[in-house]
Amino acid sequence: MLTGRNRPRRSCAAPRDPERTRKRLLQAAFREMHRSGFRSADLDAILAKAGVTKGALYYHFDNKEALGYAVVDEVIANNLHQKWVQPLRNAKNPLDVLIRIIQSESLKREDVQRGCPLLNLSQEMSGLDEGFRRRTAKVYRNWHDAMAEALREGQKRRVVRSDINANETATFLIAAWEGYVVLGKNSQDPRTMRSGQKRVSGHLESLRPARGGRRAPSRDWPSSF
């Protein structure tokens, strides 16, 4: 577990608008962590981006780790919820929704180079800090569960193949997509992500029930899914 210096909050004067200040700190920390990673994130840079004092920082967070945990719980988790989980709720056809989400992913070079905030932080910190590992695992679990539940509902509506395992398929889809994100970040080439969009969308298409009693083609993805 990483350690940081604790600062007693009662020694710091409350900001004039505490809630707004806290949100600005979280957004600034998120951007800095996304750009540099947690360990290299500079507190002075975060303060400058947020436009607040160090006293305001320690009024809300005991140390850098507490700030990082809050970024996972409140920013990264919320962003993923808005992008992936919320659209799947009560979706008439989860495959259409998932394909739309995949196709909406930014192919701008700077976005490809930065990669996925959740994936970046999970890779960097899971082996070093149990607090980060638990938090990122929870976000991944919520992502998985929302996708699996949507696929099961799709099976009930007969818009998703009945022969697939929803839990395994959700795991596979996350692993496949995040794998392309890693490769895109490493290559710094948007064409990698464009290929990922095509391949993952193709697999989602193969999960539709076959017309005329024939199974849809697997498009070279593992048949067990």
Side-chain angles (χ1 to χ4, degrees), residues 27-88:
Q27 289 299 325
F30 168 73
R31 291 192 295 270
E32 176 69 8
M33 289 166 59
H34 195 189
R35 184 182 71 85
S36 304
F38 173 75
R39 287 174 294 176
S40 297
D42 184 78
L43 285 179
D44 289 334
I46 292 172
L47 294 175
K49 290 176 182 177
V52 303
T53 65
K54 188 168 291 187
L57 169 66
Y58 287 113
Y59 173 80
H60 290 285
F61 305 101
D62 289 336
N63 50 42
K64 183 180 178 181
E65 284 70 37
L67 175 60
Y69 292 165
V71 167
V72 180
D73 293 339
E74 300 178 41
V75 181
I76 293 177
N78 183 65
N79 289 348
L80 188 137
H81 181 87
Q82 293 297 322
K83 181 177 180 179
W84 290 91
V85 177
Q86 190 65 37
L88 285 171

Side-chain angles (χ1 to χ4, degrees), residues 7-22:
R7 302 291 183 89
R9 294 185 185 181
R10 63 174 178 269
S11 66
C12 303
R16 292 182 180 179
D17 188 343
E19 187 60 28
R20 184 183 178 201
T21 297
R22 191 175 189 278

Side-chain angles (χ1 to χ4, degrees), residues 54-127:
K54 188 168 291 187
L57 169 66
Y58 287 113
Y59 173 80
H60 290 285
F61 305 101
D62 289 336
N63 50 42
K64 183 180 178 181
E65 284 70 37
L67 175 60
Y69 292 165
V71 167
V72 180
D73 293 339
E74 300 178 41
V75 181
I76 293 177
N78 183 65
N79 289 348
L80 188 137
H81 181 87
Q82 293 297 322
K83 181 177 180 179
W84 290 91
V85 177
Q86 190 65 37
L88 285 171
R89 288 185 173 174
N90 302 317
K92 293 182 178 180
N93 192 322
L95 301 180
D96 291 340
V97 173
L98 288 170
I99 291 171
R100 186 163 62 248
I101 295 171
I102 292 292
Q103 293 298 324
S104 70
E105 185 74 15
S106 173
L107 295 178
K108 294 180 180 178
R109 185 173 296 274
E110 59 269 27
D111 293 331
V112 172
Q113 291 173 344
R114 282 195 295 262
C116 169
L118 174 61
L119 179 60
N120 293 348
L121 195 56
S122 178
Q123 288 183 312
E124 179 191 4
M125 300 302 298
S126 289

